[in-house]
Amino acid sequence: MENFNRLNDLYFKKLLGDKKRKNLTLSFLHGVLNKDDKNYFTDISFLDKDNEPLTLDGKLSKLDIRADLNDGTQVDIEVQVCPFKLMAERSLYYWSKMYSEQLEKGAEYKKLKKAIAINLLAFDYLEDEQDWHNIYNLLNVKSHKKLTDHIEIHFLELPKFTLKDMRKIRASEAWLAYFSGKYSKEELEEIAMTTPAIKEAVEFEDTFLQDKIERRAYEQREKAIRDYYSYMNAFKEEGLQQGLEQGLQQGLQQGLQQGMQKGLYQQAIQTAKNMLKDKVDIKLISKYTNLSVEEIKKINEE
């Protein structure tokens, strides 16, 4: 399928979030975390941690893939396709939830295990960094000594990624090449010679696309996202215009804020109506419009 989006959350979870293909997830983690034959994970258990939106201002409590590794390490793999300025804050928030949820009430701190957050981004986020893979820990600002190895946050930026040598490719580079969509099936086959898991990923992709139900679900998800951002952009322009007009009378800053809020809210309602017509699940509509489930049900009734 031309222009297949391998970062589509539905497909991504099917590929790396299913126990049937945990060998692929382990391959991805071993590559990103730079594990070798003497220091590697032997097993992984997936945890279903998808939650509904907490508020209407976009603070979604949602983890793409959450899992426990055989040594107790906690890992969260999140995919972000659209630019988001507060990725660091959001990743730290998810990391803190993952870390704190390890302890039951009254449990001892010594039971806490390392928690790793991995952010796979389809946009440039770290403007001052040239590398596509950046890792953050908790360090002393003077000595740069690590306080603890319990916190580790990774940012993988796909636009910065380019293969330098197809013959000397690391596992992390193989997986980034796959998700980037920049390389042909023939090139991926060559890459798979050094990282066999990529061959299995390509084979699963073909099976996924041949399944009419899975492909339909994928296409609906892609359409919903495209429609949402298209409408949001249109109403953003309208909201700015309204804000400018109101700003002449009430003050530019106040007018811009009111115009934007009104335009965006109207757009959210229109988007919800269009998605309801396409029979998109109400919970998914709530996620992409930031409207509450109750509001969407009311719109549906009307």
Side-chain angles (χ1 to χ4, degrees), residues 6-250:
R6 293 170 180 143
L7 296 184
N8 174 283
D9 58 346
L10 178 67
Y11 174 73
F12 189 84
K13 282 190 176 183
K14 292 282 187 180
L15 179 69
L16 294 187
D18 192 319
K19 62 182 180 181
K20 297 177 183 178
R21 284 171 292 282
K22 63 183 180 181
N23 63 306
L24 299 184
T25 315
L26 288 171
S27 171
F28 175 81
L29 291 175
H30 288 154
V32 172
L33 303 179
N34 197 29
K35 297 291 183 178
D36 56 32
D37 293 339
K38 298 180 180 180
N39 179 23
Y40 62 94
F41 302 116
T42 59
D43 201 5
I44 185 171
S45 300
F46 297 102
L47 303 175
D48 185 5
K49 287 293 181 181
D50 279 357
N51 299 317
E52 294 307 310
L54 295 179
T55 65
L56 295 179
D57 61 358
K59 294 182 178 65
L60 304 181
S61 181
K62 176 182 178 296
L63 301 180
D64 280 327
I65 296 177
R66 168 78 184 277
D68 290 337
L69 294 161
N70 60 285
D71 65 350
T73 299
Q74 307 283 298
V75 64
D76 156 38
I77 307 172
E78 183 183 355
V79 174
Q80 180 66 27
V81 176
C82 299
F84 187 66
K85 294 182 179 180
L86 301 178
M87 274 304 305
E89 290 80 0
R90 185 168 73 177
S91 186
L92 187 60
Y93 170 69
Y94 287 161
W95 177 91
S96 66
K97 286 191 65 180
M98 178 170 53
Y99 191 66
S100 63
E101 286 175 356
Q102 295 182 55
L103 285 188
E104 297 179 357
K105 188 175 182 180
E108 298 179 358
Y109 293 117
K110 65 181 181 181
K111 292 186 177 180
L112 288 168
K113 299 293 184 179
K114 184 174 185 176
I116 302 173
I118 299 174
N119 300 285
L120 182 57
L121 310 179
F123 58 94
D124 286 331
Y125 175 64
L126 303 170
E127 296 180 357
D128 297 328
E129 301 290 351
Q130 299 300 315
D131 292 337
W132 58 268
H133 185 186
N134 292 281
I135 309 170
Y136 293 87
N137 300 117
L138 198 58
L139 307 175
N140 184 307
V141 296
K142 293 182 179 179
S143 67
H144 300 290
K145 291 183 178 179
K146 190 183 297 185
L147 177 65
T148 175
D149 66 351
H150 275 207
I151 179 171
E152 189 171 301
I153 299 179
H154 295 248
F155 290 95
L156 309 174
E157 299 171 273
L158 284 171
K160 294 179 181 178
F161 173 77
T162 303
L163 274 179
K164 296 180 179 179
D165 190 341
M166 294 281 284
R167 297 166 298 179
K168 299 179 181 179
I169 185 171
R170 295 174 296 166
S172 59
E173 294 174 322
W175 279 108
L176 264 287
Y178 175 74
F179 286 118
S180 71
K182 298 177 181 178
Y183 301 91
S184 66
K185 286 288 184 70
E186 291 73 20
E187 289 172 316
L188 290 177
E189 288 177 2
E190 184 176 348
I191 291 171
M193 295 178 68
T194 57
T195 309
I198 299 301
K199 180 180 180 181
E200 187 174 340
V202 172
E203 291 174 350
F204 172 73
E205 178 183 322
D206 292 336
T207 301
F208 177 88
L209 291 173
Q210 289 172 10
D211 187 311
K212 293 182 179 179
I213 297 177
E214 297 282 25
R215 181 162 178 161
R216 175 60 177 164
Y218 162 85
E219 292 173 345
Q220 285 186 323
R221 189 71 57 92
E222 289 293 292
K223 182 179 183 300
I225 295 173
R226 286 196 303 271
D227 288 349
Y228 172 72
Y229 282 103
S230 176
Y231 285 125
M232 288 296 286
N233 288 333
F235 273 86
K236 181 178 179 180
E237 295 179 2
E238 181 177 333
L240 284 171
Q241 180 62 36
Q242 292 174 354
L244 287 170
E245 294 173 356
Q246 293 176 15
L248 295 174
Q249 301 174 2
Q250 303 174 6

Side-chain angles (χ1 to χ4, degrees), residues 240-277:
L240 284 171
Q241 180 62 36
Q242 292 174 354
L244 287 170
E245 294 173 356
Q246 293 176 15
L248 295 174
Q249 301 174 2
Q250 303 174 6
L252 180 60
Q253 184 175 5
Q254 180 182 1
L256 279 170
Q257 291 175 346
Q258 292 178 348
M260 282 290 292
Q261 290 172 356
K262 182 178 179 181
L264 292 177
Y265 183 70
Q266 291 175 340
Q267 170 54 32
I269 293 176
Q270 184 59 48
T271 300
K273 290 180 179 179
N274 291 334
M275 294 174 79
L276 284 168
K277 290 179 181 178

